[in-house]
Amino acid sequence: MRSNGTKRERHRRRPVALLTGLAVAACLGLAGATAAPSPAAAAAHPAAETRAGSTTSADPVGPPQTNFLSAFLYSATRPSVVPTGANDWSCKPDRAHPRPVVLVHGTAENRYANWAALSPTLKDAGYCVFALDYGGTQGPMLATGDIAKSAAQLGAFVDRVRAATGAAKVDVVGHSQGGMMPRYYIKNLGGAAKVDKLVALVPSNHGTTLIGIGLLARLIPGADVVVGAGCPACEQQVVGSRFLKDLNAGAETHPDVTYTVISTWYDEVVTPYTSAFLDPARNVTNETLQGHCLLNTTAHINITYDRTATGLVMNALDPAHAQRPPC
């Protein structure tokens, strides 16, 4: 991938601590995290070590939300909250919707912050819906851990969903890292036999320049190591990382899985926005919101709450009954 040209010579003289701090902050933006809980709130609601990749019947259910910030703030003091419609382990897929839908959040997010609108929408449409938390053990900002380990957590969750529902395969809908990480599961952990469709909203498939910050950090000896220590998934999603080189080596997709990528011209996190797209193939569809709604200005953060994006997700899951996405 090419740099977006935002590197400046003056940045090279800044201390490593400042530069890597900026890189970590931008990395946390990979999923659009715009707020964090206060230390007091975090202490009042500690999360169990087993939280990531797990869910219990005791997990509270949060109300539907209309935007990411509201949902994220709600989750800040309720770290195990589940979006409405998700994780009904008694749900059995019907003929019209034969595969459960597994929702996968992005970096520094959680299942509720991402899916407090789409989960109830899918449930109302007749799908069995499941959402996991992964890649961390506390607070609302998860998915910062090593991506390969997160993919294994996804695999265990998919197996649990399949066992509970009796479905041979699931469909996966993911945001940002949650749209890219399942590709590791599909390619390396046997997921191709268990996933029928992967629908990815603004995925970091080829990494991001983090508006130049991530690449700039690499110019300072040891800076990328510091970033990776604080947030392994952040360093792994910077353009040119070893993780992404390995993930994209050879064919980017598996022939038995259908892939849909939904991006936006105004993505300020996965930059350039075209880095989200997968190589053309018969089983790949690359979309932009603006291809269906020219005046849509939704960016990375709120895309899971955007009605055009929601329409595209619904069409990707059920192409036989596709409708024109709302604008």
Side-chain angles (χ1 to χ4, degrees), residues 55-70:
T55 183
T56 72
S57 59
D59 290 335
V61 176
Q65 302 281 357
T66 60
N67 63 83
F68 174 85
L69 180 58
S70 295

PDB file of all heavy atoms in Angstrom, residues 55-70:
ATOM      1  N   THR A  55     -20.160 -15.292  26.948  1.00  0.00           N
ATOM      2  CA  THR A  55     -21.372 -14.611  27.333  1.00  0.00           C
ATOM      3  C   THR A  55     -22.174 -15.550  28.204  1.00  0.00           C
ATOM      4  O   THR A  55     -22.066 -16.768  28.081  1.00  0.00           O
ATOM      5  CB  THR A  55     -22.199 -14.190  26.105  1.00  0.00           C
ATOM      6  OG1 THR A  55     -23.353 -13.468  26.532  1.00  0.00           O
ATOM      7  CG2 THR A  55     -22.643 -15.380  25.280  1.00  0.00           C
ATOM      8  N   THR A  56     -22.949 -15.013  29.113  1.00  0.00           N
ATOM      9  CA  THR A  56     -23.755 -15.844  29.986  1.00  0.00           C
ATOM     10  C   THR A  56     -25.183 -15.339  29.977  1.00  0.00           C
ATOM     11  O   THR A  56     -25.474 -14.214  29.548  1.00  0.00           O
ATOM     12  CB  THR A  56     -23.227 -15.811  31.431  1.00  0.00           C
ATOM     13  OG1 THR A  56     -23.528 -14.536  31.995  1.00  0.00           O
ATOM     14  CG2 THR A  56     -21.731 -16.061  31.478  1.00  0.00           C
ATOM     15  N   SER A  57     -26.092 -16.170  30.476  1.00  0.00           N
ATOM     16  CA  SER A  57     -27.491 -15.775  30.530  1.00  0.00           C
ATOM     17  C   SER A  57     -27.707 -14.616  31.482  1.00  0.00           C
ATOM     18  O   SER A  57     -28.744 -13.955  31.445  1.00  0.00           O
ATOM     19  CB  SER A  57     -28.348 -16.971  30.953  1.00  0.00           C
ATOM     20  OG  SER A  57     -27.934 -17.450  32.224  1.00  0.00           O
ATOM     21  N   ALA A  58     -26.725 -14.351  32.356  1.00  0.00           N
ATOM     22  CA  ALA A  58     -26.848 -13.261  33.321  1.00  0.00           C
ATOM     23  C   ALA A  58     -26.417 -11.920  32.748  1.00  0.00           C
ATOM     24  O   ALA A  58     -26.578 -10.892  33.402  1.00  0.00           O
ATOM     25  CB  ALA A  58     -26.019 -13.585  34.565  1.00  0.00           C
ATOM     26  N   ASP A  59     -25.827 -11.913  31.545  1.00  0.00           N
ATOM     27  CA  ASP A  59     -25.390 -10.657  30.951  1.00  0.00           C
ATOM     28  C   ASP A  59     -26.584  -9.732  30.731  1.00  0.00           C
ATOM     29  O   ASP A  59     -27.611 -10.151  30.176  1.00  0.00           O
ATOM     30  CB  ASP A  59     -24.697 -10.911  29.609  1.00  0.00           C
ATOM     31  CG  ASP A  59     -23.347 -11.593  29.783  1.00  0.00           C
ATOM     32  OD1 ASP A  59     -22.747 -11.447  30.859  1.00  0.00           O
ATOM     33  OD2 ASP A  59     -22.905 -12.271  28.838  1.00  0.00           O
ATOM     34  N   PRO A  60     -26.487  -8.467  31.150  1.00  0.00           N
ATOM     35  CA  PRO A  60     -27.617  -7.549  30.965  1.00  0.00           C
ATOM     36  C   PRO A  60     -27.842  -7.215  29.497  1.00  0.00           C
ATOM     37  O   PRO A  60     -26.901  -7.225  28.694  1.00  0.00           O
ATOM     38  CB  PRO A  60     -27.178  -6.309  31.751  1.00  0.00           C
ATOM     39  CG  PRO A  60     -25.684  -6.364  31.736  1.00  0.00           C
ATOM     40  CD  PRO A  60     -25.330  -7.829  31.800  1.00  0.00           C
ATOM     41  N   VAL A  61     -29.070  -6.934  29.136  1.00  0.00           N
ATOM     42  CA  VAL A  61     -29.421  -6.551  27.770  1.00  0.00           C
ATOM     43  C   VAL A  61     -29.674  -5.051  27.736  1.00  0.00           C
ATOM     44  O   VAL A  61     -30.471  -4.522  28.517  1.00  0.00           O
ATOM     45  CB  VAL A  61     -30.667  -7.313  27.286  1.00  0.00           C
ATOM     46  CG1 VAL A  61     -31.076  -6.839  25.891  1.00  0.00           C
ATOM     47  CG2 VAL A  61     -30.408  -8.814  27.290  1.00  0.00           C
ATOM     48  N   GLY A  62     -28.967  -4.366  26.836  1.00  0.00           N
ATOM     49  CA  GLY A  62     -29.117  -2.922  26.727  1.00  0.00           C
ATOM     50  C   GLY A  62     -30.161  -2.538  25.695  1.00  0.00           C
ATOM     51  O   GLY A  62     -30.506  -3.331  24.814  1.00  0.00           O
ATOM     52  N   PRO A  63     -30.679  -1.326  25.777  1.00  0.00           N
ATOM     53  CA  PRO A  63     -31.698  -0.868  24.829  1.00  0.00           C
ATOM     54  C   PRO A  63     -31.100  -0.568  23.463  1.00  0.00           C
ATOM     55  O   PRO A  63     -29.891  -0.345  23.346  1.00  0.00           O
ATOM     56  CB  PRO A  63     -32.207   0.412  25.482  1.00  0.00           C
ATOM     57  CG  PRO A  63     -31.023   0.938  26.229  1.00  0.00           C
ATOM     58  CD  PRO A  63     -30.322  -0.285  26.759  1.00  0.00           C
ATOM     59  N   PRO A  64     -31.924  -0.559  22.424  1.00  0.00           N
ATOM     60  CA  PRO A  64     -31.427  -0.117  21.118  1.00  0.00           C
ATOM     61  C   PRO A  64     -30.905   1.316  21.195  1.00  0.00           C
ATOM     62  O   PRO A  64     -31.382   2.114  22.000  1.00  0.00           O
ATOM     63  CB  PRO A  64     -32.668  -0.204  20.225  1.00  0.00           C
ATOM     64  CG  PRO A  64     -33.550  -1.213  20.893  1.00  0.00           C
ATOM     65  CD  PRO A  64     -33.334  -1.005  22.369  1.00  0.00           C
ATOM     66  N   GLN A  65     -29.918   1.621  20.363  1.00  0.00           N
ATOM     67  CA  GLN A  65     -29.343   2.959  20.315  1.00  0.00           C
ATOM     68  C   GLN A  65     -29.346   3.453  18.874  1.00  0.00           C
ATOM     69  O   GLN A  65     -29.459   2.663  17.931  1.00  0.00           O
ATOM     70  CB  GLN A  65     -27.909   2.948  20.849  1.00  0.00           C
ATOM     71  CG  GLN A  65     -27.755   2.446  22.269  1.00  0.00           C
ATOM     72  CD  GLN A  65     -28.114   3.478  23.326  1.00  0.00           C
ATOM     73  OE1 GLN A  65     -28.438   4.628  23.013  1.00  0.00           O
ATOM     74  NE2 GLN A  65     -28.081   3.076  24.598  1.00  0.00           N
ATOM     75  N   THR A  66     -29.187   4.753  18.700  1.00  0.00           N
ATOM     76  CA  THR A  66     -29.213   5.328  17.354  1.00  0.00           C
ATOM     77  C   THR A  66     -27.845   5.795  16.870  1.00  0.00           C
ATOM     78  O   THR A  66     -27.710   6.208  15.726  1.00  0.00           O
ATOM     79  CB  THR A  66     -30.175   6.527  17.305  1.00  0.00           C
ATOM     80  OG1 THR A  66     -29.735   7.529  18.239  1.00  0.00           O
ATOM     81  CG2 THR A  66     -31.595   6.092  17.636  1.00  0.00           C
ATOM     82  N   ASN A  67     -26.823   5.747  17.731  1.00  0.00           N
ATOM     83  CA  ASN A  67     -25.489   6.182  17.315  1.00  0.00           C
ATOM     84  C   ASN A  67     -24.429   5.523  18.185  1.00  0.00           C
ATOM     85  O   ASN A  67     -24.718   5.052  19.294  1.00  0.00           O
ATOM     86  CB  ASN A  67     -25.364   7.707  17.358  1.00  0.00           C
ATOM     87  CG  ASN A  67     -25.536   8.266  18.756  1.00  0.00           C
ATOM     88  OD1 ASN A  67     -24.603   8.295  19.551  1.00  0.00           O
ATOM     89  ND2 ASN A  67     -26.765   8.705  19.069  1.00  0.00           N
ATOM     90  N   PHE A  68     -23.211   5.510  17.675  1.00  0.00           N
ATOM     91  CA  PHE A  68     -22.124   4.827  18.359  1.00  0.00           C
ATOM     92  C   PHE A  68     -21.801   5.450  19.714  1.00  0.00           C
ATOM     93  O   PHE A  68     -21.604   4.743  20.706  1.00  0.00           O
ATOM     94  CB  PHE A  68     -20.865   4.829  17.489  1.00  0.00           C
ATOM     95  CG  PHE A  68     -19.663   4.272  18.197  1.00  0.00           C
ATOM     96  CD1 PHE A  68     -19.422   2.915  18.219  1.00  0.00           C
ATOM     97  CD2 PHE A  68     -18.781   5.110  18.880  1.00  0.00           C
ATOM     98  CE1 PHE A  68     -18.334   2.389  18.899  1.00  0.00           C
ATOM     99  CE2 PHE A  68     -17.688   4.586  19.560  1.00  0.00           C
ATOM    100  CZ  PHE A  68     -17.470   3.230  19.568  1.00  0.00           C
ATOM    101  N   LEU A  69     -21.738   6.782  19.779  1.00  0.00           N
ATOM    102  CA  LEU A  69     -21.318   7.431  21.017  1.00  0.00           C
ATOM    103  C   LEU A  69     -22.266   7.102  22.166  1.00  0.00           C
ATOM    104  O   LEU A  69     -21.827   6.777  23.270  1.00  0.00           O
ATOM    105  CB  LEU A  69     -21.221   8.942  20.821  1.00  0.00           C
ATOM    106  CG  LEU A  69     -20.778   9.749  22.059  1.00  0.00           C
ATOM    107  CD1 LEU A  69     -19.419   9.268  22.547  1.00  0.00           C
ATOM    108  CD2 LEU A  69     -20.748  11.240  21.737  1.00  0.00           C
ATOM    109  N   SER A  70     -23.558   7.174  21.903  1.00  0.00           N
ATOM    110  CA  SER A  70     -24.522   6.841  22.953  1.00  0.00           C
ATOM    111  C   SER A  70     -24.351   5.405  23.430  1.00  0.00           C
ATOM    112  O   SER A  70     -24.381   5.122  24.622  1.00  0.00           O
ATOM    113  CB  SER A  70     -25.950   7.056  22.445  1.00  0.00           C
ATOM    114  OG  SER A  70     -26.193   8.416  22.167  1.00  0.00           O
TER     115      SER A  70
END
